[in-house]
Amino acid sequence: MTSAALDAPATDQARLLLAALDDPQRRIPSDANTRTLSIMRRRQWIRPVLRDRSGSSIPSNVRHWTLTHHGVNAAQRVRTAHLTQKHPVGAAAVFTPAGATERDVVVVNSGPDEKGTVEVLSMKQGGKPIRVLLTALEELPELPPEPDGEITDWWTITDAQGSELTRVQAEDDPRARKAAERHPAVVAAVRRDKGFVVRRLYTSELSTPMGELHGVPRIPPAPDERPAITVRTGFTRKSIATRLRESGAPGAMVTSEAVGGNLRWRLPDGEELTPGEAAKRFLDD
């Protein structure tokens, strides 16, 4: 058998090695089958446990297995391989320095060395390369799915943890920021987190009570960068309401209580159109 084969445990062996590595006594799980145990013993990864913790002999018909130092090394190689797949070069991850409470978003910039550390680019430190343990990296929070509907002139303002602080109505990002900065909760968030997050809302989100929408944690700004940053705004096209006003279309965008507080374009004669219907009638969308 080649050394490469010894260094590449089969799936069940890898599972047992990782489980034993996390066990305080380095014991192999009891569901291991005889054939797998035999292979692992030939590789000198495990040894039988002959005495219990009190020092008493274990009956010969009861077999417990624990990792040898070769087994610990093999288990650590398996864990490193799994983490390397989970955090490949070029992937973003979350890193919390020892003793710190604020997380850093980093980009993996190298494979692991013999000590299990990788080079990452720290966003908190303006892209500076630092070395961290691969085991200290966590996956980024999963982004929520894109909401349905049309984009609106309403914006949600969230803090660094993703909690909604307030909502403002504005035609564009700068005006939304200016309006948000007058709100006491946003002022407090700027003092606490050095910034806040701005995101334009869809029509489907307007029926959600204020405070119940959640954003993703913001990426810390680089040095000398303005403290308030934008996450996932990503819209360069003006909202339908703005385009309707600029086109001179009759009426105005209102929040209609008759349809659960959703946005409607209300014509002078009282007829209400959905934003999509108004766009088709007046904007040729």
Side-chain angles (χ1 to χ4, degrees), residues 26-245:
R26 297 285 196 259
R27 285 195 175 186
I28 296 293
S30 59
D31 63 347
N33 63 59
T34 302
R35 181 176 180 277
T36 301
L37 290 173
S38 178
I39 295 173
M40 295 176 71
R41 191 175 187 186
R42 288 202 304 270
R43 294 176 175 178
Q44 299 182 354
W45 289 346
I46 60 174
R47 62 177 178 81
V49 178
L50 303 178
R51 296 181 181 275
D52 62 22
R53 300 185 68 179
S54 67
S56 302
S57 297
I58 295 177
S60 58
N61 63 333
V62 178
R63 279 299 182 103
H64 298 292
W65 302 88
T66 188
L67 293 180
T68 65
H69 71 281
H70 296 299
V72 170
N73 291 338
Q76 290 174 339
R77 289 196 298 272
V78 172
R79 173 150 293 164
T80 298
H82 285 185
L83 290 174
T84 301
Q85 293 179 349
K86 185 178 180 181
H87 304 294
V89 174
V94 174
F95 169 64
T96 305
T101 56
E102 186 173 349
R103 302 187 300 174
D104 188 5
V105 175
V106 300
V107 177
V108 181
N109 200 42
S110 75
D113 60 13
E114 66 279 359
K115 297 181 180 179
T117 69
V118 293
E119 181 183 89
V120 299
L121 305 180
S122 167
M123 298 299 101
K124 188 176 180 181
Q125 300 185 46
K128 175 183 176 181
I130 58 176
R131 294 205 72 88
V132 302
L133 285 171
L134 188 57
T135 54
L137 298 181
E138 302 174 27
E139 291 185 293
L140 284 172
E142 184 177 354
L143 293 176
E146 289 285 355
D148 298 323
E150 303 287 345
I151 57 174
T152 72
D153 279 343
W154 284 93
W155 305 72
T156 178
I157 313 300
T158 54
D159 63 14
Q161 289 71 45
S163 300
E164 188 174 39
L165 301 171
T166 188
R167 295 179 193 175
V168 297
Q169 188 174 19
E171 292 186 1
D172 53 32
D173 183 281
R175 289 183 176 88
R177 294 180 183 281
K178 187 174 181 179
E181 288 167 352
R182 295 194 291 265
H183 195 281
V186 178
V187 173
V190 171
R191 292 172 180 168
R192 181 183 68 246
D193 305 326
K194 310 304 181 187
F196 57 88
V197 180
V198 179
R199 181 174 71 82
R200 193 191 287 271
L201 293 177
Y202 286 83
T203 51
S204 63
E205 297 178 289
L206 296 179
S207 59
T208 303
M210 209 291 295
E212 293 187 10
L213 287 177
H214 297 281
V216 295
R218 69 179 177 87
I219 297 176
D224 301 324
E225 188 176 66
R226 62 181 300 177
I229 65 169
T230 301
V231 175
R232 292 185 67 205
T233 51
F235 305 113
T236 56
R237 189 181 185 187
K238 294 180 180 179
S239 71
I240 289 178
T242 299
R243 292 163 60 210
L244 286 168
R245 285 196 296 270

Side-chain angles (χ1 to χ4, degrees), residues 203 206-207 254-263:
T203 51
L206 296 179
S207 59
V254 299
T255 300
S256 176
E257 298 297 334
V259 290
N262 289 328
L263 284 182

